[in-house]
Amino acid sequence: MTTQAHYAVFDLPERLVLDGADLEARYHALARRFHPDRFMARSQAERDDASDQMERVNAAYRTLRDPIERLRYVLARHGVKADIRQGVPVEVAEAYFELQETFGDPATATGQARSELSGSARVLRDRIKTSVEEAASRMTALGADWDAAPRPETLEALALTLDRHTYLLSMLRDIDGKLSNLS
């Protein structure tokens, strides 16, 4: 299956911004057409073909319905890859690593220390959450730019922004876990 295949399954052009309702309607139409239950009375070859078609439809739909997976798919199709740790604001990364060192074992922290640690973690969490939202907005804008005029530099910027977004989300999950241990 070629990387273009997911778009071809739904007879769609390669775009980063898709109409979710249209994609879903196309999915349901194909699911009705190729669902294996419709082929139960047919030959084994026809059942196998329907099953293969349905598998292809499901794989394409899983990828294209999720904007992040769709972006990863387009980047891979164009051979664009970036380092996941690039693009994170230095001040956010430094504060995160400082918090990591300070955290230690939350279970051993006393009341005052727990409170201060919790406050610092919440402030950093808010900063990271803002950075995640900024990265998501930038991906949306760059996706629209790509759809209007596909250029390699736009894909490079998308890859960097996606990696930033992914890394920041990882930081956010880690801080949330630490905060839950303080509760």
Side-chain angles (χ1 to χ4, degrees):
M1 180 176 354
T2 67
T3 53
Q4 178 64 18
H6 286 342
Y7 285 95
V9 165
F10 298 108
D11 194 28
L12 291 169
E14 182 185 78
R15 298 182 51 87
L16 290 173
V17 179
L18 293 178
D19 178 342
D22 178 53
L23 178 64
E24 186 175 1
R26 289 169 187 255
Y27 168 76
H28 288 296
L30 289 171
R32 283 188 298 275
R33 180 175 168 196
F34 293 116
H35 197 281
D37 289 349
R38 296 194 60 196
F39 293 82
M40 294 305 289
R42 303 272 178 95
S43 71
Q44 185 62 46
E46 289 173 303
R47 287 194 308 266
D48 289 347
D49 184 52
S51 180
D52 289 346
Q53 291 293 338
M54 195 64 228
E55 187 177 313
R56 185 173 177 224
V57 167
N58 284 331
Y61 184 64
R62 272 191 307 274
T63 299
L64 297 182
R65 74 177 175 189
D66 180 312
I68 298 295
E69 290 306 310
R70 183 168 56 241
L71 174 55
R72 289 182 199 284
Y73 180 76
V74 170
L75 290 172
R77 179 189 179 299
H78 292 275
V80 177
K81 195 174 185 180
D83 180 8
I84 194 166
R85 288 186 172 27
Q86 288 184 2
V88 174
V90 173
E91 66 280 0
V92 170
E94 287 173 352
Y96 174 73
F97 293 122
E98 183 178 312
L99 183 67
Q100 291 283 62
E101 289 175 12
T102 306
F103 240 95
D105 181 6
T108 62
T110 63
Q112 180 65 24
R114 284 175 90 81
S115 178
E116 289 174 14
L117 197 51
S118 177
S120 295
R122 289 181 196 289
V123 167
L124 180 57
R125 183 191 188 289
D126 290 345
R127 285 176 61 195
I128 292 172
K129 189 173 182 191
T130 298
S131 292
V132 165
E133 291 165 357
E134 289 168 354
S137 279
R138 179 152 169 76
M139 282 190 295
T140 299
L142 287 167
D145 289 349
W146 166 259
D147 288 348
R151 292 187 305 276
E153 59 272 15
T154 305
L155 282 183
E156 293 292 336
L158 274 161
L160 184 63
T161 307
L162 173 63
D163 289 340
R164 175 183 182 159
H165 183 263
T166 302
Y167 190 54
L168 288 166
L169 283 176
S170 174
M171 289 175 150
L172 207 52
R173 282 189 297 274
D174 183 54
I175 290 172
D176 284 342
K178 289 182 180 352
L179 282 169
S180 71
N181 287 337
L182 284 173
S183 300

